[in-house]
Amino acid sequence: MKNINPLFLTISCIMILFIAIFSQDSAKNNLELQKKEFEEFKLLAVKYKTQKQSWSDKKVITNTIQKILKSSGIKNANIIQKDKLIIVQMVSLNITQIQKFINNLLNEKINIKKLDLTNNKIILNIGLL
Amino acid sequence: MTKTIFLQKDTNCAVALSSNIDIILSPEFYWVRLFDIPIASKKEALGVVPNLFEDFFDIEGYKFYIIKLEEYKYLCFAYKEQDVLDGLKSANIDFKKVNNIYFAQNEFIGKIDDKAILMDENKFIYQDDVFIKIPSTLGLIIESVDFDISNIVLSKHKISINQSSKYIDTSSAYILSSIFIVFSLVIFFKTYTINKITNQYPIKIEQLKKDYHLMSSMIQTKSLLKQYQKVSKKYENTRGVLQYLINFKQKTSGKLESIEFKNGVMYGYFTNSNLNNMKIYIEKRYKISSSSFKNGIVKIGIKI
């Protein structure tokens, strides 16, 4: 210890300090990068989940249809579920029910594959992804 | 192997030395004096020595070394590091090769008795227990003996010199270094904490994948998301066309009999309506893919 050159010692400690500062800076940048990546990923995940529910989730879509039917006052609808398709058949409808149904349908996200609308019946095919 | 050199102001080692060296400083390089100091501790006594030497010369730039001879009696040395370094330089001695530096005062006691010794044409002797250089005029009349310095057993009293002392002194270096080390440790600890937080993000992402039932790879997820967005866009178009067909009455007369959507084409069937008027209305926003008038029914098709 006695023979350590004080200038060498001081310079070495300054270098250690610089290394510490540099490594902290690098760690901070890495953290920011990871944070950003995580936030982007989270956003993507939320987007994915929302989209999946709207276009792929049979349960969610069926619930949406039932909600529309209920608020349109349609009770005698026939819902047929197939692999990638949900068919909703409504007959003996009055104009009010049709108008309400269409209005409600326009306010929901539904992948309309086929629509047959007359003045007393609606046949709606909803596609699933 | 270590070589010993008796360093004088006029020493010159013509051949570069390859081995390590112990240096014995001739009296030209230091002041020596016996002081009675009423302090028992050697360390504390060293603290007052500069003041005692101050009565004899300007102590600016001097370093001090003391040897406790007996209780309250100290042999004190004062020397300038720069003088020693200059002496080494002029003697052509590489400082890096110097092991230890000794004072001649301590190294010849009991080895030369009262005789004068000849070292590189200069004579030295103990006078009143102080090792001195005999002035050259007196040297001629005093007899001397040769002394082989290569086998000398050196004392434990040695000094060390830091070459960088002119830039920073040892205590300041230690204080500064300690501060830097403390700062470095704090920063390293902070870095460790940051890295720990950073390392949690991949785990969080994996958890997110599970929670949101994402596909195993990002490419698959993005591809599916792209499909969803495509469908979403198509839905927006379908919704827009449907709404536009339903709202036809705002601009033209007639009755919407039915709507049919199949194979990506939306057909509107109107009665009591004029085909041209209906076409004008539709074309304001959409491109008509097909249109006809048959049995009083206007049929307009819009490609989505």
Side-chain angles (χ1 to χ4, degrees):
Chain A
M1 240 347 233
K2 204 173 162 187
N3 290 325
I4 292 177
N5 186 324
L7 190 65
F8 173 76
L9 181 73
T10 314
I11 290 170
S12 303
C13 290
I14 290 172
M15 280 177 76
I16 291 170
L17 184 66
F18 272 118
I19 291 167
I21 293 168
F22 176 76
S23 59
Q24 192 197 36
D25 205 41
S26 159
K28 269 184 184 171
N29 286 341
N30 199 14
L31 176 66
E32 282 306 311
L33 212 73
Q34 287 283 336
K35 223 182 215 175
K36 200 178 162 193
E37 200 177 301
F38 175 75
E39 289 304 326
E40 280 175 6
F41 195 84
K42 197 175 175 183
L43 205 74
L44 187 87
V46 172
K47 213 170 171 182
Y48 176 82
K49 196 182 177 183
T50 320
Q51 299 272 20
K52 193 181 174 189
Q53 278 180 346
S54 299
W55 310 118
S56 290
D57 197 324
K58 208 177 246 186
K59 205 176 163 187
V60 173
I61 295 167
T62 310
N63 284 343
T64 308
I65 290 297
Q66 271 164 350
K67 200 177 83 183
I68 295 172
L69 290 170
K70 199 179 171 187
S71 57
S72 310
I74 303 168
K75 286 172 186 170
N76 53 347
N78 186 19
I79 302 173
I80 304 157
Q81 292 192 2
K82 290 189 174 176
D83 183 32
K84 291 279 177 191
L85 200 69
I86 297 174
I87 302 166
V88 188
Q89 293 172 334
M90 295 153 275
V91 288
S92 309
L93 302 174
N94 57 42
I95 290 295
T96 318
Q97 284 175 319
I98 292 172
Q99 276 175 351
K100 276 187 179 176
F101 181 84
I102 294 297
N103 282 338
N104 288 328
L105 187 71
L106 292 174
N107 289 325
E108 296 289 346
K109 275 189 165 183
I110 281 174
N111 181 21
I112 304 168
K113 283 299 238 188
K114 198 174 167 190
L115 176 72
D116 193 1
L117 187 150
T118 63
N119 53 11
N120 64 352
K121 71 158 184 159
I122 302 170
I123 295 169
L124 176 67
N125 286 11
I126 301 160
L128 300 174
L129 279 182
Chain B
M1 195 186 152
T2 309
K3 196 176 170 169
T4 307
I5 287 179
F6 186 81
L7 184 70
Q8 301 179 58
K9 295 260 174 168
D10 54 5
T11 301
N12 187 13
C13 297
V15 183
L17 301 158
S18 56
S19 59
N20 286 338
I21 311 153
D22 283 330
I23 297 290
I24 298 174
L25 295 176
S26 89
E28 301 155 298
F29 289 100
Y30 61 87
W31 288 80
V32 62
R33 202 168 175 87
L34 193 69
F35 284 118
D36 290 322
I37 304 169
I39 297 170
S41 156
K42 190 180 164 186
K43 200 177 172 186
E44 285 175 27
L46 183 63
V48 301
V49 166
N51 295 332
L52 298 173
F53 271 117
E54 210 166 21
D55 296 336
F56 303 98
F57 55 89
D58 180 12
I59 60 165
E60 177 73 32
Y62 275 87
K63 295 260 177 176
F64 302 92
Y65 182 84
I66 62 169
I67 299 167
K68 191 175 183 177
L69 299 176
E70 55 190 80
E71 193 77 347
Y72 308 134
K73 210 176 248 316
Y74 295 91
L75 185 65
C76 306
F77 295 86
Y79 61 96
K80 271 187 175 174
E81 287 189 337
Q82 198 52 50
D83 285 351
V84 178
L85 289 170
D86 290 344
L88 288 170
K89 198 175 172 187
S90 72
N92 200 24
I93 297 169
D94 185 0
F95 177 73
K96 285 177 197 158
K97 291 209 165 79
V98 175
N99 255 0
N100 294 305
I101 299 172
Y102 300 82
F103 295 111
Q105 172 69 30
N106 307 314
E107 305 312 316
F108 297 98
I109 291 174
K111 290 165 192 161
I112 58 171
D113 301 325
D114 293 332
K115 290 171 200 158
I117 53 165
L118 182 68
M119 306 290 276
D120 295 336
E121 296 171 7
N122 293 315
K123 291 176 181 176
F124 297 86
I125 196 166
Y126 274 106
Q127 196 172 60
D128 299 331
D129 293 331
V130 177
F131 190 75
I132 58 160
K133 181 181 175 183
I134 301 168
S136 52
T137 46
L138 282 174
L140 293 170
I141 54 167
I142 294 174
E143 277 196 33
S144 63
V145 290
D146 286 330
F147 188 86
D148 182 13
I149 206 168
S150 60
N151 295 322
I152 194 168
V153 179
L154 296 164
S155 70
K156 60 175 180 175
H157 304 295
K158 55 194 176 187
I159 56 167
S160 62
I161 292 174
N162 287 311
Q163 207 176 10
S164 58
S165 57
K166 59 182 171 180
Y167 302 112
I168 188 166
D169 64 77
T170 312
S171 58
S172 304
Y174 285 150
I175 293 167
L176 271 176
S177 302
S178 307
I179 294 168
F180 291 145
I181 291 293
V182 168
F183 270 117
S184 304
L185 286 175
V186 170
I187 294 170
F188 275 128
F189 179 72
K190 224 173 156 187
T191 308
Y192 168 75
T193 320
I194 292 170
N195 281 337
K196 217 172 161 187
I197 298 168
T198 308
N199 291 339
Q200 280 174 353
Y201 275 101
I203 301 165
K204 278 185 179 178
I205 286 176
E206 282 307 311
Q207 191 56 44
L208 215 63
K209 272 185 184 176
K210 278 183 194 168
D211 293 346
Y212 285 81
H213 307 291
L214 297 185
M215 309 295 277
S216 52
S217 79
M218 273 302 281
I219 298 168
Q220 282 176 300
T221 306
K222 280 187 175 171
S223 158
L224 204 58
L225 199 64
K226 216 171 174 182
Q227 273 190 57
Y228 287 147
Q229 279 163 347
K230 215 171 160 184
V231 171
S232 185
K233 204 175 170 189
K234 208 171 173 188
Y235 154 76
E236 292 291 339
N237 289 341
T238 311
R239 186 175 176 266
V241 172
L242 189 60
Q243 202 160 24
Y244 198 67
L245 284 178
I246 289 167
N247 293 336
F248 82 100
K249 273 219 158 175
Q250 290 171 359
K251 299 282 176 189
T252 180
S253 60
K255 189 187 171 195
L256 176 65
E257 287 297 326
S258 64
I259 293 173
E260 192 183 20
F261 176 56
K262 60 180 180 184
N263 304 325
V265 183
M266 181 88 74
Y267 296 99
Y269 296 88
F270 303 90
T271 52
N272 303 327
S273 181
N274 180 287
L275 177 63
N276 285 336
N277 289 347
M278 196 53 75
K279 276 170 87 174
I280 291 164
Y281 169 70
I282 299 293
E283 277 174 339
K284 273 182 188 168
R285 196 175 291 180
Y286 298 103
K287 204 174 169 186
I288 296 169
S289 63
S290 64
S291 64
S292 64
F293 180 75
K294 211 173 177 184
N295 302 328
I297 295 170
V298 173
K299 182 185 174 187
I300 303 278
I302 304 163
K303 177 102 177 140
I304 294 168

